[in-house]
């Protein structure tokens, strides 16, 4: 776009929501999309109010799940300056190491993963004598320290008070009650429909909520959250928010979003078959696990966006009176998803994982393309995350016009002031 085109634009003011879904290390793709959005806004700043373009948060309603919840909380904590918030995320994700998320040393892997596999194989023989009770395949205690350093949660309250942010919501699934809980932080109470085992809880989002939301089943341990101050009551153990999340876009809508930008982490359409994939071979444990995680993380979002678009078509056919009577409104949506298979990219970088993690994954069948899906969720290593950031950046710039239409609108030309007549 030329500077002449930008000088007739302004940032849209209708409430916009940003949906960031889960996917472990795949969430690096989201950071690439956000990096491109920030770059487009910087380019557009020449024809806008510099103060608004620099500090304005284009997504005052942030909804995240799993690793997406971490990205959403990081954006919320610095929502007074969107450019700085994105730059911080890019710096972290471009320099990631697996040891920042989970124990990747030999002792840590033996303590969690090897013990877990031993229990699966011969636990029925030794469980009484050794009393092995592993909680997960990997120990994600390092992630707790990273989150405490990365996110200043006190700034979220400040952003809400100053109007830079309207709401932050993160999802988690309770192993204790079987319910999917949306934890949201906002200045006022909001009404969410309580159905299909879905409830909402107003809370101050903190490290425990993010650990709970990002606890990939079997891979990371569940996190205890105290709900004593809620109608649910008591302590419950939570896992990844992508489980039982039937409508990922719903929280943003109920928090007041009139526009929604959705960043997925799965290639749309027919992705085809990975190279060197033997469809006739019996699936390994890693292959089954990767397929299960894809079902949890990827399928619900695509289906929900499709339902939302169909509902928009129905609403558009209704009269304004009928819309008000039914309590319906049209929600503008923009979806950006990878143009390439992320598990295919992961195949190229499995060697970047620490040796103990590679050995653990190989023990459950992660080799060649059969376990690339599982590996793509755990590849918190800079070569892989940088590749996904670059892909997200390119995919977003390829849809520059759609993104700018979502973020901006044409400014109405101001009428020239009438000439002043001076009578002498």
């Amino acid at each position: 776009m030329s500077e002449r085109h930008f000088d007739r634009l302004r940032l849209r003011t209708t409430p916009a929501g940003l949906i960031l879904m889960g996917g472990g290390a795949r969430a690096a793709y989201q950071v690439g999309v956000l990096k491109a959005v920030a770059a487009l806004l910087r380019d557009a700043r020449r024809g806008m109010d510099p103060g608004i373009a620099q500090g304005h948060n284009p997504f005052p309603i942030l909804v995240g799940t799993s690793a997406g919840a971490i990205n959403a909380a990081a954006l919320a904590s610095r929502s007074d300056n969107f450019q700085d918030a994105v730059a911080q995320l890019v710096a972290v994700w471009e320099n990631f190491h697996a040891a920042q998320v989970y124990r990747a040393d030999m002792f840590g892997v033996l303590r969690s993963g090897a013990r877990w596999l031993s229990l699966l194989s011969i636990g029925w023989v030794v469980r009484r004598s050794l009393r092995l009770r592993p909680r997960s395949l990997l120990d994600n205690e390092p992630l707790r320290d990273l989150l405490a350093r990365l996110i200043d949660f006190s700034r979220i309250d400040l952003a809400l008070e100053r109007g830079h942010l309207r709401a932050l919501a993160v999802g988690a699934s309770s192993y204790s009650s079987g319910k999917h809980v949306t934890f949201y932080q906002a200045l006022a109470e909001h009404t969410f429909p309580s159905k299909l085992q879905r409830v909402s809880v107003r809370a101050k989002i903190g490290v425990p909520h993010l650990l709970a939301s990002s606890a990939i089943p079997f891979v990371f341990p569940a996190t205890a959250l105290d709900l004593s101050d809620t109608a649910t009551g008591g302590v419950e153990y939570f896992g990844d928010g992508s489980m039982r999340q039937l409508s990922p876009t719903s929280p943003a809508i109920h928090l007041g979003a009139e526009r929604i930008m959705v960043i997925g982490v799965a290639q749309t359409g027919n992705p085809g078959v990975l190279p060197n994939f033997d469809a006739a071979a019996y699936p390994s444990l890693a292959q089954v696990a990767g397929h299960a995680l894809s079902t949890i993380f990827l399928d619900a979002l695509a289906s929900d966006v499709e339902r939302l678009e169909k509902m928009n078509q129905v609403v558009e056919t209704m009269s304004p009176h009928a819309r008000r009577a039914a309590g319906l409104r049209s929600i503008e949506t923009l979806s950006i998803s990878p143009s390439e298979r992320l598990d295919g990219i992961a195949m190229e970088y499995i060697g970047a994982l620490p040796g103990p993690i590679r050995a653990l994954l190989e023990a459950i069948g992660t080799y060649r393309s059969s376990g690339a899906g599982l590996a793509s969720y755990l590849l918190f290593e800079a070569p892989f995350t940088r590749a996904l950031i670059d892909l997200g950046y390119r995919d977003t710039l390829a849809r520059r016009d759609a993104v700018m239409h979502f973020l901006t609108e044409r400014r109405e030309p101001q009428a020239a002031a009438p000439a002043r007549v001076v009578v002498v």
Side-chain angles (χ1 to χ4, degrees):
M1 289 186 179
S2 66
E3 184 172 352
R4 187 176 180 182
H5 179 68
F6 280 135
D7 64 9
R8 295 193 300 272
L9 297 179
R10 65 179 179 185
L11 293 171
R12 295 173 65 179
T13 57
T14 54
L18 178 64
I19 311 293
L20 301 175
M21 290 297 291
R26 289 173 173 238
Y29 178 83
Q30 301 170 354
V31 178
V33 174
L34 293 170
K35 180 180 177 181
V37 169
L40 290 173
L41 288 178
R42 283 198 304 273
D43 289 344
R45 192 190 315 159
R46 290 172 297 188
M48 297 180 180
D49 181 329
I52 294 177
Q54 172 68 25
H56 177 77
N57 175 22
F59 306 108
I61 298 170
L62 295 165
V63 178
T65 303
S66 194
I70 295 174
N71 286 339
L75 290 175
S77 69
R78 302 183 68 86
S79 54
D80 59 322
N81 193 312
F82 180 73
Q83 298 287 338
D84 285 352
V86 173
Q88 181 192 43
L89 275 177
V90 171
V92 171
W93 281 90
E94 283 189 339
N95 298 281
F96 240 136
H97 295 289
Q100 295 174 280
V101 179
Y102 51 79
R103 290 284 302 272
D105 59 286
M106 181 63 72
F107 179 75
V109 171
L110 288 173
R111 186 177 180 182
S112 58
R115 182 181 294 182
W116 190 75
L117 292 177
S118 297
L119 184 63
L120 283 177
S121 58
I122 59 173
W124 61 277
V125 175
V126 299
R127 61 192 174 105
R128 290 187 178 180
S129 58
L130 298 182
R131 296 179 181 177
L132 297 174
R133 296 191 63 186
R135 295 188 172 188
S136 59
L137 184 65
L138 297 172
D139 178 1
N140 67 342
E141 188 61 27
L143 180 59
R144 183 186 298 272
D145 298 331
L146 176 65
L147 294 176
R149 296 194 309 271
L150 174 65
I151 303 173
D152 182 352
F153 292 93
S154 65
R155 289 174 58 94
I156 297 178
D157 274 332
L158 193 61
L160 289 168
E161 293 170 1
R162 294 182 175 178
H164 300 298
L165 181 71
R166 291 184 57 159
L168 166 66
V170 302
S173 183
S174 173
Y175 291 119
S176 304
S177 66
K179 296 178 180 178
H180 181 275
V181 181
T182 298
F183 296 95
Y184 72 95
Q185 187 168 348
L187 292 180
E189 292 277 355
H190 289 265
T191 302
F192 290 71
S194 297
K195 58 182 180 180
L196 297 177
Q197 295 292 300
R198 290 182 293 164
V199 298
S200 60
V201 173
R202 188 181 175 200
K204 280 185 174 293
I205 306 298
V207 170
H209 297 90
L210 302 185
L211 288 175
S213 182
S214 60
I216 300 175
F218 300 110
V219 177
F220 295 141
T223 298
L225 295 177
D226 188 355
L227 304 182
S228 298
D229 296 335
T230 69
T232 304
V235 173
E236 296 185 18
Y237 280 88
F238 286 84
D240 201 289
S242 297
M243 297 185 291
R244 308 199 75 172
Q245 187 177 39
L246 301 179
S247 182
T249 63
S250 177
I253 295 172
H254 291 292
L255 288 168
E258 297 179 18
R259 297 175 288 131
I260 294 178
M261 182 172 178
V262 180
I263 306 179
V265 292
Q267 184 184 18
T268 57
N270 183 11
V273 178
L274 291 176
N276 301 320
F277 180 78
D278 186 359
Y282 191 84
S284 66
L285 180 59
Q287 186 177 342
V288 173
H291 183 74
L293 291 180
S294 294
T295 302
I296 293 172
F297 286 119
L298 311 179
D299 293 349
L301 179 61
S303 299
D304 193 37
V305 171
E306 184 178 355
R307 284 194 300 268
L308 183 58
E309 291 174 349
K310 289 182 178 179
M311 180 59 71
N312 281 339
Q313 294 173 3
V314 173
V315 171
E316 291 299 326
T317 64
M318 301 170 64
S319 67
H321 175 75
R323 293 183 195 179
R324 289 192 297 270
L328 298 176
R329 69 180 191 274
S330 180
I331 304 295
E332 180 183 349
T333 60
L334 173 63
S335 297
I336 297 180
S337 57
S339 59
E340 302 177 23
R341 289 189 62 155
L342 302 192
D343 51 355
I345 298 175
M347 288 175 56
E348 304 175 25
Y349 297 102
I350 289 179
L353 283 167
I357 299 299
R358 289 201 310 272
L360 178 64
L361 293 179
E362 288 174 2
I364 58 176
T366 301
Y367 52 87
R368 295 185 180 179
S369 61
S370 64
L374 176 60
S376 69
Y377 295 98
L378 303 178
L379 250 168
F380 292 95
E381 292 291 339
F384 179 63
T385 57
R386 287 179 182 179
L388 297 197
I389 290 173
D390 290 344
L391 178 62
Y393 189 85
R394 295 195 306 270
D395 287 348
T396 306
L397 291 186
R399 301 191 61 192
R400 177 194 302 258
D401 290 343
V403 173
M404 292 305 296
H405 176 75
F406 182 88
L407 295 173
T408 63
E409 61 187 359
R410 288 187 177 276
R411 183 169 50 200
E412 294 295 332
Q414 295 182 349
R420 178 177 297 177
V421 179
V422 179
V423 180
V424 179

